[in-house]
Amino acid sequence: MSTINRRTQRVVTDSEDDFVEIRQRQRHDLQLSRRSQTPPIAEKDEDETKTKSKRKPISNTVSIPYIHTAPIHVISKPSVLSKEAPPVEGGYHGFIRLGMLVLGASNIRLIIENYMKYGLLIKLPHSYIPYQDYGLFVLAWVSVPISIVSAFLIEWLMAKIAMHIKSQKEDTRPKITSIEVLAGVFHCMHLLFLMIYPSYIVYTKIYHPMVGSAALVIALILFLKLTSYALVNRELREMYLTDNGDAPGGSHKYPNNIAIPNILYFWWAPTLCYQPSYPRSPRFRTTFFLKRVGELVVCLVTMYLLAEQYAKPTLENSLKALEEHNYVVIVERVLKLSTTAVVIWLLMFYALFHSFLNALSELGGIAIIWVPTGDCGIDRYTFSSRGMSICKCWGKGNCPSVQRGFPPLLGQFVVFFISALLHEVLVGIPTHALTGFAFWGMLGQIPLIAITKPLEKWRAMVKDSQLDQMAADMSLARQRPSFDVKLMSTFLVGDEESFKEREEGRAILENEPLFDKEPLVFMSREERLRHGIKVATRLIELWEEHAWSPDQFAAAVKNVDMMTPVTLHYGAFIPVILNQGTDEQVQEWIGAALSHTIIGCYAQTELGHGSNVGGLMTTATFDRHSDEFVLHSPSLAAAKWWIGGLGVMATHAVVQAQLIIDGKNYGPHIFVAPIRSLENHKPLPNILVGDIGPKAYGGFSSMDNGYLLFKEHRIPRGNMLMKFAKVDKNGVYRPPVHSKLSYGSMVKLRAGMVSEAGWKLGQAATVAIRYCTVRRQFQPANLNKADAPSDAPESQVISYSGLQHRLFPLISVAYGLIITGFSVNRLFDEMTEQLASENATLLPQVHVLTCGLKSWGTRRSCDGIEECRKAMGGHGYSAFSGLSDLFASYIPSNTYEGDNWILTQQVARFLVKELGRLANGKEISASTSYLARLASGDTSSSFRVTKAEQLTDLNVQVDLFATRAARVAFELGQALQSGRAWSDLNVECWNASVAHTEYTVMRAFADKVEEVKKDQFAPIHDTLKMLCDLFAVSNIVGASQASFLATQTVHAADLPVINELYRSLLHRISKQAIPLTDAFGFSDKNLGSALGRHDGRAYEALWEAVQKNPINQEKWQQETYETIIKKLLHRNNSAEPVEKAKL
Ligand SMILES: Cc1cc2nc3c(=O)[nH]c(=O)nc-3n(C[C@H](O)[C@H](O)[C@H](O)COP(=O)(O)OP(=O)(O)OC[C@H]3O[C@@H](n4cnc5c(N)ncnc54)[C@H](O)[C@@H]3O)c2cc1C
């Protein structure tokens, strides 16, 4: 208990523990990166624990402090491209994927085309390289040992001199400055030799550019290394002579570092930055090393193959165009070459910076990790300026010349100039073409930087470490799911087949920009409605294109998640005809309906009546002479109202109207009525039809709910759906065998709404939990001091107990509804089979079941959606949260298909009947068998909870819900017996229905948890059990606590123990909340939410979405200013206040 309490008080989740660890690592990294901007601080050495620099900050003065000495490589870190990399540093996987994608996908066609055109062009490499090139390479390479030896000798001599000086008394020590200058000159000489000599050999003698490049690259790398060697040792020497105890190096402290093994080690070490010692890996990782070598080989071979087979022929083919200055062909060639070049570049980048250098580090036991980031090129500042663009990096304090006191712009120019020169050397000399292309290409970056600077500024505004932190939080939250998320997804959709179908359907749909939700928020009602029609049309086209089955199409409609004018065609018109029509009638209309020759709607509700179906006023009077029915709306109150799809789209309607034969009213029956012409879509004569206008919260705006008035509109007798009730041509009426048989279609609609409620809630929970995972507010220690500044990371809001209490139970409700949906569907199928043989035994039970579940499910779901929105704070109210539209469009589910309050009366009436049967010793239905416990007369003893574990027993959970439901039903029965009128018992009916339905869900949930133990979903059993526990406990101590206490099902004294279990369950869920919502399987497009992005980058998505706002466009603002704002601001037409305001 103490653990739970402590955790809840501190609101620290395990994921936060992980986060703290990563945060510490990050802070460490941050310190490293700061080092490049402020004086480098030696931090940790191989041998030493800590050394601190006492050096002053680098200012823009000419005095040069120890800018080269402080070690850059101080900790052992895994490469960001390796598996071991912490997720917070991730992001480079995109680089690999890009490589793979470009390599794999886009080149397959080119490979075939190329092969067909040229055959196999690849030859062994040596076949092009003249033998004398190998000898010349060795000759050029001679400069390498010469330079190393020279550098070493100069430093050795200088070390000796320094030691000698140090041995003198402090006040008599001579100045070393002039000797330093001399040493510098010698260093310059051998460094110049190192570059000039091989350049000469390569340019004048070596034929093959590859050989020449290799010789020059080796020389250039050494050139940079030895420059660093000289500069660092000069500073070390100064520190040594001034007795600066902070000098780095441990046992290799200056002058001990001036040794042959030390310089040779540096020569081979994969770094350009000299330091006396480097952090070392604890052990040699053979597999890691072999993997890197393997990658290197694969990359090199592939690069060679690409160059030979693709780049070479393209180049050869462009020679003629070059000669003829045929610029169109040249551009075409360049574009063609660019794909191959990008692939080769990617491979080179990966091979060199990841594979080769990391293999080399491993071999040398050096814990420097090479990070291919494409950043600052090759200098000692490279490693600490990750994430900074090249221009920024070289223009800031990181640039050596800037640190030497150059103004940033000049510093930038100097660095680019040197870099451009070296690029020209590396490209121009081996190819024997010093054209200046490489030089100017590099130098051309400077004006480019100026041009793109405004963009950089914008990027900097919206991109910062906090944004990366959000992505890191998200990836951390899904790092260690305790269950198989895909298996859970499969479970939720039913089976693998359905899962596959959903994914395949989604792949098609997500390629269609028309289905994107984002643009909808800026559309007017008119635009949305038109958009809805387009969406419906495209869906139908896709159905035909892909020959989807009806189930696949239904899944696609669900996936697109938008009400359209055709929704009710599938949702009501077709099902009603199938359900209520005779075989001939089905044949007559269903073919046309499925081919969309006709589009239908379901017209029951009227302006004057909805819930009270018996009170409907539209009449269908039989005319024996013409064998027709005459549909008529006797008053405005009889106008059909709210009918989905009727406003602009439907050609037909199934109409509920009072059947009148020979003046006798037989009550409401269903008729198929044509509404609009099939030729020109105009309303038929005697029909008044239109759209009822915008709806609450802007919901249902892509749906054309409509009105309809009949003025003696004639339809053939055969248009009455006559599967159950019949009227023959003589006007003889035959009633249905069972009075409730016509309920079938309503039952089907409500049955579908059970799982739908779960999915909608799951959608909102996914968005809210994702956003609350990446949203951070308050440092834990500063909760009561909002303005206290601190470096500590702020807490993820999801870690707060209040949010966990508001959101996590919703996950269990969503799962519960989806699971209950399975059993409802099963029961519905069983009932349909029965009804086919006019057996209606199951009908009342299923009818009541769906009434209760529809009522309870849509209410809990809508309340939950709104709670999710509120849980997201201010941003939840943005339309880009995706929840406002979800809520607005789903909230009427509380009303349509039967008002929720009225439906509870149907459930209550059934319960009362069952109580009566029980009292009379008759059999009651399985769904209400729990009422039998009332027979013992025990209506008040409580189940005592002494240990929290008692409540994790599924039987106990079901039993508690059953007891409570039975007692609530009993109270209703008693109230009725006491003589209270039915209309006075709305609240009791509601309570009885809620208690019965919660028992139903609890039972379905618990049964499923038991059931999965034995099937392919056994691996997710524990997770489902955890959710089932949460469903039970959160209802007992949360949503329905009053009911459990009032019925004395649980005892108030036991609440602390139950609450403790509740908190521990919330804590367990907190570690799995993201995977549990991921399992719903909503894609970003499905969610249409900037805040609920899968990758956690909520702020960036919100920013991007806002940029599309037409109100932010210059044109809109100018127009509004000119036409309205200006009038307001300048209404006094006086310059004086304007002038004053300026001050
Ligand atoms: C978005 C949307 C789409 C719709 N689409 C269609 C459609 O396609 N086709 C169609 O035919 N209809 C449609 N409807 C209509 C819908 O089915 C009805 O609005 C619904 O059945 C409720 O009926 P009502 O409007 O008459 O409410 P009312 O019956 O007027 O209810 C008003 C209030 O009185 C209460 N109340 C009423 N009677 C009782 C009672 N006996 N005891 C206690 N309380 C009572 C209700 O709980 C409610 O709070 C749609 C409605 C909406 C909002």
Side-chain angles (χ1 to χ4, degrees), residues 568 572 601-612 640-645 656 695 700 703 705 746 889 892-893 895-902 905 982-983 986:
L568 270 292
C601 59
Y602 178 76
Q604 177 175 305
T605 307
E606 295 174 0
L607 197 51
H609 293 91
S611 311
N612 180 12
K640 295 288 175 192
W641 208 268
W642 276 111
I643 316 306
Q656 282 270 16
K695 282 138 279 190
F700 262 60
M703 164 74 91
N705 294 85
M746 291 304 274
S889 292
S893 63
T895 307
Y896 57 66
E897 305 311 335
D899 173 88
N900 277 355
W901 271 80
I902 294 177
Q905 291 187 36
W982 183 255
S983 61
N986 287 176

Side-chain angles (χ1 to χ4, degrees), residues 1029-1093:
D1029 290 348
L1030 182 65
F1031 178 82
V1033 177
S1034 66
N1035 273 298
I1036 294 172
V1037 294
S1040 299
Q1041 190 188 84
S1043 175
F1044 277 94
L1045 289 181
T1047 53
Q1048 298 180 44
T1049 310
V1050 292
H1051 201 287
D1054 297 339
L1055 282 182
V1057 185
I1058 308 176
N1059 270 314
E1060 183 194 322
L1061 174 62
Y1062 176 53
R1063 286 195 299 274
S1064 84
L1065 282 167
L1066 290 183
H1067 175 68
R1068 282 176 65 200
I1069 296 278
S1070 72
K1071 297 188 224 167
Q1072 303 299 326
I1074 289 291
L1076 281 171
T1077 47
D1078 281 351
F1080 289 122
F1082 292 106
S1083 67
D1084 280 346
K1085 288 212 173 189
N1086 287 147
L1087 295 175
S1089 165
L1091 304 185
R1093 283 250 306 233

Side-chain angles (χ1 to χ4, degrees), residues 97 261 551 934 953 997 1065:
R97 285 192 205 115
D551 281 350
L934 295 171
D953 183 327
T997 307
L1065 282 167

